[in-house]
Amino acid sequence: LIMAEISRSLAFGKLNTTAYKCMESATIFAKTRGNPYVELIHVLQQVLTLQDTDLHHILGAFAVNTSRLATDLAAALEKLPRGATSYTDFSASLETAIQEAWKYATLMFNQGKIRTGFLLVAAPKTPELNRQLLAISGEFTKIKINQLTDDFAKITEKSPEQASALPEAAAVATA
């Protein structure tokens, strides 16, 4: 209930550079496809197009078949409604994903920005978002969520998002 009072710009302003750029490109991608809403699947697809993110390290750590995942993502994208000609908006579930990722970023990981990996921590722990992930691809079942949260720092230590998280956390601590 409290989350409803948090503005979208405030929540989206908490995204790290990588996550923010993926959100921007996901919006363009959804508009280009004529999808009425920017969904979590658009964001995941855009993160996967990058070379090296938290998401890539997580998928590798849990031996997710990335080519099968890419095929599943493409198939799931084809099932989305098309034909929207007006403004493309963020889906309620994507807003929930951002808000939940922010909770984990701050409360569990003590970080001041939302990394792409935090979306993959938050989604399986949120029933509606977990259903969406599993509808996109069965490959997501390979990610053991408790192991991911316990070993997040180790799994993502070589991610470029880790390097960008450190100065932000230090800046928050000294502010």
Side-chain angles (χ1 to χ4, degrees):
L1 195 61
I2 292 172
M3 284 297 186
E5 299 172 17
I6 296 173
S7 76
R8 175 187 292 173
S9 61
L10 185 63
F12 281 70
K14 297 298 181 186
L15 297 167
N16 74 1
T17 305
T18 303
Y20 188 84
K21 285 179 180 171
C22 288
M23 207 62 66
E24 278 185 326
S25 58
T27 302
I28 294 164
F29 184 57
K31 281 182 184 177
T32 303
R33 294 178 52 80
N35 300 134
Y37 295 100
V38 182
E39 303 281 355
L40 182 59
I41 186 172
H42 293 109
V43 177
L44 292 172
Q45 196 276 339
Q46 293 301 303
V47 175
L48 281 174
T49 64
L50 298 176
Q51 293 301 310
D52 190 11
T53 65
D54 284 357
L55 184 64
H56 291 88
H57 289 269
I58 292 166
L59 297 176
F62 292 97
V64 170
N65 181 328
T66 52
S67 60
R68 182 171 298 132
L69 179 60
T71 301
D72 291 348
L73 277 167
L77 281 164
E78 288 305 313
K79 294 177 186 167
L80 292 177
R82 291 182 113 143
T85 53
S86 60
Y87 176 71
T88 301
D89 198 6
F90 294 106
S91 69
S93 61
L94 180 57
E95 290 190 19
T96 299
I98 299 296
Q99 292 166 355
E100 291 300 308
W102 172 242
K103 282 198 270 189
Y104 286 102
T106 56
L107 300 176
M108 182 176 274
F109 298 106
N110 197 28
Q111 292 196 11
K113 292 286 184 180
I114 301 168
R115 299 164 55 157
T116 62
F118 297 155
L119 290 169
L120 221 49
V121 167
K125 290 180 169 280
T126 309
E128 172 199 350
L129 297 174
N130 190 47
R131 280 192 297 279
Q132 284 186 22
L133 278 184
L134 299 180
I136 292 167
S137 178
E139 287 297 305
F140 287 116
T141 61
K142 294 179 179 177
I143 299 170
K144 304 302 175 223
I145 191 60
N146 291 333
Q147 184 184 344
L148 175 57
T149 55
D150 291 348
D151 299 338
F152 189 86
K154 189 172 81 179
I155 290 170
T156 61
E157 69 186 347
K158 295 195 180 343
S159 168
E161 293 185 70
Q162 178 60 28
S164 67
L166 299 175
E168 292 163 2
V172 170
T174 58

